[in-house]
Amino acid sequence: MRTAYKCRAYPDSEQAAQLGRTFGCVRLVWNKTLDARHRRYHVEGRTISYKETDAQLAAWKRTDELAFLSEVSSVPLQQTLRHQHTAYQNFFAGRAKYPRFKNRTGKQSAHYTRSAFKLRNGQLTLAKQSTPLRFVWSWPGIDPATINPTTVIVSREPDGRWYVTFAVDTDDSEPAAPTGESIGIDLGVKDFAVLSTGETIANPKHLDRKARNLARYQRRMARKQKGSANRRKAKRKVARAHRKVRHARADFLHRTTTNLVRRADTIAIEDLNVSGMTSSARGTREQPGRNVKQKSGLNRRVLDAPLGEFRRQLEYKTTRAGKTLAVIDRWYPSSKTCSACGHLLNMLKLSTRTWTCPGCRTRHDRDVNAAKNILAAGRAVVGQQPGEACGVDVSPQGSSLRQSASKQELSGASPKGIPALQGGEAVNRLS
Ligand SMILES: [Zn+2]
């Protein structure tokens, strides 16, 4: 299957000039070749092969007046010859109209095949360009760093907007090798997440900074008079700052989720009420007055928004990789339950970062303990024994079990799947 992702592109002035020259050369090669084909057909009554047009192009490059054709990447020029060849074949087969000449006011485009672009970590660099071409990726569900396009098409619309299109031969599922690891994730407030392995995933600092910038520009804009030129300018700055936050966040989320899915066969998370997270839902339950992050309201919103997206990415990435995402009920008292013996605390103040279990004397880091409980609960949801790594079992039954478990979760988890840890109060609350 072939998929094309078309995004807005924003070449800098140097890149735009270089691409403009490339478009000009593509147009010239198309038109000159079309002219030659045209005459050859009318005068000699025969067609020209692609090979002949390619040889013709090489000859043009050797002339003084067309030597500038060598200054742009040869790939888009050859591609335009191929397209014209196809257009002619389509015409002769009665499938299409006679190919037309291109003019400078219409849509311009240049096709780059694999040898003429580099796509690394989501950064696109075209042949003959030294800096990456900036583009806005608008598929939050797809990591631009993971796509492997066969062709990249840069185009400019008559209105001056630039686009880059990534043509990808897609393979829907890419099963990943099982790693034997399972990870529970406690999505945090202080940090982005804490894992059952004890690791912490911090909120990226640059995102914080960008969010602060955005807030500052928004305040500035609010002070400008409506309808004024200054307000328009301020508004553009806000839009830019906002886009930067979005990108930084998307980038962070994609890298984080890709990493987690690569590492673990089973991932367990809490089913968060994303919209209520900042105010009540989580706060009133386990951690009254949860207010660890002393930040502006806007900043909080900017940082909270990704949690739903985080889950969505984990869902499709685990599915794609043939791995399992277990989503456990958000009322499950993951923080207050001892992950070692199951003892359930009556209360645990938010300010308490570490605690010792009265039942088994285990000393807990609050978030790591929660993540461990989430993992245990998630394992129970997918019918996995502790210590047994999901994905190691590659029997058909095992995989169908995993699939049904994932599906069940995706369609709105049922509390029935939540395990009865010792100190059954948790379970009573759920029913
Ligand atoms: Zn305990």
Side-chain angles (χ1 to χ4, degrees):
M1 192 171 76
R2 196 146 206 245
T3 312
Y5 303 101
K6 187 174 179 177
C7 332
R8 281 289 295 274
Y10 299 88
D12 61 29
S13 55
E14 198 178 314
Q15 292 171 333
Q18 203 276 334
L19 286 167
R21 283 197 296 279
T22 306
F23 291 155
C25 291
V26 166
R27 211 166 55 226
L28 181 139
V29 167
W30 173 278
N31 287 344
K32 267 184 91 69
T33 306
L34 186 59
D35 185 53
R37 280 180 187 276
H38 195 71
R39 274 186 291 162
R40 175 79 70 92
Y41 183 66
H42 283 282
V43 175
E44 300 176 27
R46 66 181 193 94
T47 58
I48 304 181
S49 69
Y50 166 73
K51 239 179 130 177
E52 280 174 274
T53 60
D54 198 33
Q56 177 76 89
L57 171 60
W60 287 339
K61 285 182 177 177
R62 285 192 297 271
T63 65
D64 283 346
E65 55 168 342
L66 294 177
F68 62 85
L69 290 174
S70 302
E71 288 165 20
V72 304
S73 167
S74 61
V75 171
L77 305 184
Q78 274 160 349
Q79 287 305 109
T80 205
L81 293 179
R82 287 205 174 85
H83 293 149
Q84 191 173 100
H85 185 67
T86 309
Y88 252 82
Q89 284 179 321
N90 286 342
F91 167 69
F92 285 119
R95 287 188 295 263
K97 287 187 182 164
Y98 191 79
R100 288 162 52 152
F101 288 95
K102 292 186 193 295
N103 66 46
R104 62 169 64 229
T105 57
K107 179 188 168 175
Q108 311 292 316
S109 65
H111 292 237
Y112 294 82
T113 50
R114 272 198 182 121
S115 61
F117 69 84
K118 234 178 19 200
L119 185 62
R120 232 160 259 163
N121 303 321
Q123 288 215 313
L124 172 70
T125 311
L126 299 168
K128 303 275 182 185
Q129 300 208 340
S130 48
T131 51
L133 175 64
R134 201 162 66 75
F135 60 89
V136 175
W137 186 255
S138 29
W139 294 267
I142 294 154
D143 184 355
T146 63
I147 64 164
N148 183 16
T150 52
T151 306
V152 167
I153 303 150
V154 181
S155 58
R156 191 183 63 210
E157 297 291 331
D159 68 1
R161 288 184 175 212
W162 292 81
Y163 292 92
V164 59
T165 305
F166 298 90
V168 181
D169 292 325
T170 49
D171 173 16
D172 280 337
S173 76
E174 306 145 28
T179 59
E181 200 182 345
S182 300
I183 296 178
I185 304 171
D186 181 46
L187 287 168
V189 169
K190 186 167 148 283
D191 298 302
F192 178 77
V194 173
L195 309 183
S196 52
T197 56
E199 293 157 86
T200 295
I201 301 173
N203 277 307
K205 283 200 180 66
H206 63 100
L207 178 57
D208 244 34
R209 199 179 56 237
K210 287 184 171 75
R212 275 199 304 277
N213 278 340
L214 172 60
R216 196 172 60 236
Y217 285 129
Q218 274 174 331
R219 282 196 304 274
R220 269 187 209 166
M221 186 180 78
R223 286 198 296 267
K224 309 282 186 219
Q225 202 180 346
K226 274 186 186 159
S228 68
N230 278 339
R231 180 154 176 129
R232 263 201 313 282
K233 263 191 238 165
K235 200 173 170 183
R236 268 206 299 279
K237 281 193 172 165
V238 167
R240 252 182 55 202
H242 203 261
R243 197 181 56 227
K244 283 183 181 173
V245 170
R246 275 199 324 265
H247 281 193
R249 196 170 65 198
D251 182 59
F252 165 70
L253 285 179
H254 273 299
R255 273 194 281 174
T256 305
T257 52
T258 298
N259 235 320
L260 286 165
V261 173
R262 199 175 288 151
R263 263 183 67 182
D265 298 333
T266 301
I267 294 172
I269 57 168
E270 270 185 304
D271 181 13
L272 295 169
N273 175 355
V274 174
S275 60
M277 171 133 179
T278 42
S279 48
S280 55
R282 277 197 104 178
T284 51
R285 176 184 43 127
E286 292 182 40
Q287 299 111 353
R290 186 169 203 173
N291 194 22
V292 168
K293 238 178 191 171
Q294 304 288 334
K295 289 196 171 168
S296 72
L298 175 117
N299 210 341
R300 282 306 309 147
R301 280 203 302 284
V302 164
L303 292 170
D304 283 342
L307 295 177
E309 173 62 13
F310 178 72
R311 174 179 166 171
R312 204 187 58 77
Q313 288 186 10
L314 284 179
E315 275 170 3
Y316 85 80
K317 287 183 185 180
T318 47
T319 304
R320 194 173 61 188
K323 297 187 170 187
T324 306
L325 178 69
V327 183
I328 68 156
D329 191 279
R330 68 192 156 97
W331 301 115
Y332 174 64
S334 54
S335 294
K336 291 195 295 185
T337 307
C338 169
S339 59
C341 74
H343 182 92
L344 181 68
L345 297 176
N346 281 329
M347 74 166 286
L348 179 64
K349 273 200 255 171
L350 180 65
S351 53
T352 311
R353 304 311 303 169
T354 56
W355 56 283
T356 304
C357 172
C360 69
R361 309 306 299 166
T362 304
R363 182 125 182 99
H364 291 299
D365 171 278
R366 174 200 190 92
D367 298 330
V368 175
N369 176 61
K372 283 180 178 167
N373 282 325
I374 290 167
L375 175 60
R379 276 196 167 123
V381 166
V382 298
Q384 190 187 61
Q385 295 304 309
E388 174 200 347
C390 199
V392 168
D393 174 12
V394 290
S395 70
Q397 197 204 343
S399 64
S400 74
L401 171 68
R402 287 204 299 281
Q403 264 177 10
S404 65
S406 318
K407 260 186 211 143
Q408 184 195 346
E409 287 311 310
L410 294 178
S411 61
S414 72
K416 273 174 273 169
I418 303 301
L421 294 186
Q422 289 168 36
E425 195 189 329
V427 177
N428 289 336
R429 284 222 218 155
L430 295 168
S431 47

